[in-house]
Amino acid sequence: MRRGVLVTGASRGIGRAVAEAFAEAGDRVAVHCKRSVREAGEVAASLPGDGHLTVRADMADADAVRRAVDEAAERLGRLDVLVNNAGVFLAHPPLTTSYEQWQATWSETLATNLTGAANATFCAVPHLVAAGGGAVVNVSSRGAFRGEPDCPAYGASKAALNAFGQSMAVALAPRNIRVGTVAPGFVETDMARSVLDGPDGDAVRRQSPFGRVARAAEVAAAVLWLASREAAFASGTIIDVNGASYLRS
Ligand code: NAD
């Protein structure tokens, strides 16, 4: 059975790799984007198999999120998996940021990384139930556990996303819906490029005993597994994909 899969923020980076992983597994993918319609269309067209499509929404716009989730389910014919991947990583060092910038950054970060994912999940649930069950996978971050001194809203949003996923794992299990979370360390994407290409790049790579950061495909592999039926009893878990750069107990 080909699953219907919605991946948010899939026009590039980890989301694109996740879309590719599901398509390679034979699934049909709705490639979500905020504004990058052309790039999302190119991703959808490049995926193996047929029936892939694009949907558009600002994750901070609750009505747009509902429209995008419903459109994805309708055009895919079914929705079996939601991957909450879209996110922002905005710098706002506490000692040097103005109060106005601080507020704007917290608002955008929480609206996108946390409330956007919560709203997409809420809107996806009726479709997942109609499909007889399914999976939600959230893309969190190592920063939820290790702290993000220059991006505290980001760390807080991901810690909250972890807690949201655990609550939903319990709430949705009676409808045969699994909820899992992947917490990557630094990943080779546009989001991390300025850090990885900057003066701290080598130090960041040395945080892992492998001497490198993650590839997007390595994060996608964990997402794919969490969405599988074989992972059903792992519902509620958080998988670290950080190259042993941060070990939590
Ligand atoms: P990226 O910047 O390449 O991709 C993020 C995607 O989210 C983009 O497609 C962007 O358009 C989309 N997005 C952002 N704000 C949006 C909004 N308001 N509405 C709709 N879409 C929006 O970064 P990435 O590295 O691929 O990040 C994907 C996820 O992985 C994010 O949740 C990020 O926090 C997480 N993550 C990334 C890293 C890393 O080092 N790159 C590490 C840990 C976790």
Side-chain angles (χ1 to χ4, degrees), residues 100-156:
E100 290 71 23
Q101 195 54 40
W102 178 266
Q103 290 172 66
T105 307
W106 273 86
S107 295
E108 182 177 350
T109 302
L110 294 183
T112 307
N113 297 7
L114 177 60
T115 312
N119 288 343
T121 304
F122 184 92
C123 295
V125 164
H127 301 294
L128 299 175
V129 170
V136 176
V137 183
N138 297 321
V139 180
S140 177
S141 172
R142 181 187 72 168
F145 305 107
R146 189 173 179 266
E148 292 285 358
D150 288 335
C151 309
Y154 179 84

Side-chain angles (χ1 to χ4, degrees), residues 16 18 26 55-56 84 102 104 109 113 128 130-131 157 159 164 225 230 239:
R16 177 180 186 145
V18 169
V55 293
R56 182 179 175 184
N84 285 311
W102 178 266
T109 302
N113 297 7
L128 299 175
S157 74
F164 171 69
W225 182 74
E230 292 72 21
I239 297 182

Side-chain angles (χ1 to χ4, degrees), residues 73-99:
E74 189 184 330
R75 291 175 58 202
L76 290 169
R78 57 185 296 132
L79 188 65
D80 300 279
V81 178
L82 166 68
V83 180
N84 285 311
N85 166 77
V88 288
F89 180 64
L90 305 170
H92 51 298
L95 298 178
T96 54
T97 297
S98 72
Y99 190 39

Side-chain angles (χ1 to χ4, degrees), residues 9-15 32-34 57-60 85-88 112 139-141 154 158 184-187 189-192:
S11 62
R12 67 182 201 184
I14 294 169
H32 158 270
C33 67
K34 179 180 179 183
D58 182 342
M59 294 307 293
N85 166 77
V88 288
T112 307
V139 180
S140 177
S141 172
Y154 179 84
K158 296 298 192 179
F186 274 100
V187 187
T189 70
D190 291 339
M191 180 180 278

